[in-house]
Amino acid sequence: MSAGAEPELRLDLVRLAAVGSTNDLIREAAEAGAAAGRMIVAEQQTAGRGRHGRIWQSPPGNLYASLLLRPTRPMGELASLSLVVGLVLAEAVEALGCPVRAELKWPNDVLLGDGKLAGILLEGSSADGRRCDWLIVGMGINVRAAPGVDVGYPTATLAAAGLPNVQPGDLLGALCPRLTRGLAAWERAGFAPFRDRWLARARGLGGAIELRLGQRTVQGTLEGIDMGGALLVRGADGVLEHHAAGELVLPALAG
Ligand code: BTN
């Protein structure tokens, strides 16, 4: 390791054919005491799940991976990992030569054109509510197959975007070093160093948005994200609100 570089997370990769959900398998490993860096990659899932209780259809041809972390940063910062992982995923796609620029939809979607290429599902546990015992980063990326996603806009794949010969293993190869570097940098300094790179790929900046917050929906203009990765929304009354969670709806994307 050169002076000033972060100590990298060492990945311990387990490759499986068909599983229920890679997040479930990593959770079992976490509860059995596995070290940070254990990563399960499956060729298909029969019980893949997404955010907000959605099904993540997982046919062969795509990348399904879950990574175990044992983060030491404050609990309030953990959600920003979704943004960091989305960013390095977008950069891995670019490194493979994708002719379409990968963009980011807060907090966890990677877009190609008007379609969803990838999603990230964070699941964690804390016994005392102050320190995170384990956190799972689940990643689903549509490499070749385009299952429907129930999010109101279409599915994108690397194959349809101009990379018909790329296999899930190629994407994994581009992703792993970026993931380990990014996660080590986040562990050391949090989200702030990633903010500019994230904003440079952000979809919907300056546009009208809706943010669904359980029972309440906020409408306003998307101003960006703050240093912690929270969404900045300016309401009709001109007040700027910071939102750490919620489901963002971009009307332009939904058509
Ligand atoms: C989203 O809703 O956008 C998040 C989708 C996350 C899907 C991945 S696929 C690998 C891992 N295992 C799961 O069951 N879900 C995540």
Side-chain angles (χ1 to χ4, degrees):
M1 187 178 72
S2 60
E6 290 87 16
E8 285 206 357
L9 180 72
R10 190 182 295 272
L11 293 184
D12 167 17
L13 214 61
V14 179
R15 293 169 193 263
L16 299 172
V19 304
S21 158
T22 53
N23 267 36
D24 288 344
L25 294 181
I26 279 287
R27 180 193 183 115
E28 285 168 20
E31 286 172 347
R38 176 77 59 88
M39 187 171 177
I40 294 182
V41 177
E43 289 171 18
Q44 57 182 304
Q45 300 182 116
T46 53
R49 61 175 179 276
R51 294 176 77 224
H52 307 293
R54 295 189 180 107
I55 292 171
W56 188 261
Q57 291 179 45
S58 310
N62 294 339
L63 183 60
Y64 310 108
S66 297
L67 170 64
L68 172 61
L69 299 177
R70 297 194 182 272
T72 61
R73 295 200 69 81
M75 297 277 285
E77 294 188 23
L78 300 186
S80 69
L81 271 171
S82 229
L83 281 71
V84 172
V85 174
L87 174 64
V88 299
L89 258 171
E91 291 176 346
V93 165
E94 184 165 298
L96 289 173
C98 187
V100 182
R101 181 170 169 80
E103 295 182 307
L104 299 166
K105 175 179 170 289
W106 186 91
N108 80 322
D109 287 0
V110 181
L111 307 175
L112 280 183
D114 284 342
K116 175 161 171 162
L117 176 76
I120 297 149
L121 178 65
L122 296 185
E123 294 179 327
S125 171
S126 165
D128 61 11
R130 291 196 304 273
R131 214 187 103 262
C132 177
D133 299 318
W134 48 260
L135 188 84
I136 299 165
V137 182
M139 295 160 277
I141 306 103
N142 302 322
V143 179
R144 305 174 70 79
V149 276
D150 183 19
V151 289
Y153 52 98
T155 304
T157 65
L158 291 184
L163 295 176
N165 300 318
V166 164
Q167 302 293 331
D170 301 323
L171 177 59
L172 186 65
L175 177 61
C176 285
R178 291 173 171 81
L179 203 50
T180 52
R181 271 200 305 275
L183 292 171
W186 177 87
E187 219 1 291
R188 186 175 59 81
F191 179 70
F194 295 92
R195 180 172 173 265
D196 287 350
R197 270 155 68 201
W198 197 97
L199 282 171
R201 290 181 185 269
R203 176 64 79 90
L205 285 182
I209 58 113
E210 266 184 28
L211 186 66
R212 296 188 180 146
L213 307 164
Q215 305 289 69
R216 191 165 75 92
T217 298
V218 171
Q219 288 178 326
T221 303
L222 178 53
E223 296 273 333
I225 54 173
D226 68 15
M227 285 301 183
L231 196 71
L232 295 174
V233 182
R234 193 172 299 280
D237 55 5
V239 175
L240 190 63
E241 294 182 0
H242 297 234
H243 291 280
E247 187 173 17
L248 175 63
V249 181
L250 300 176
L253 204 56

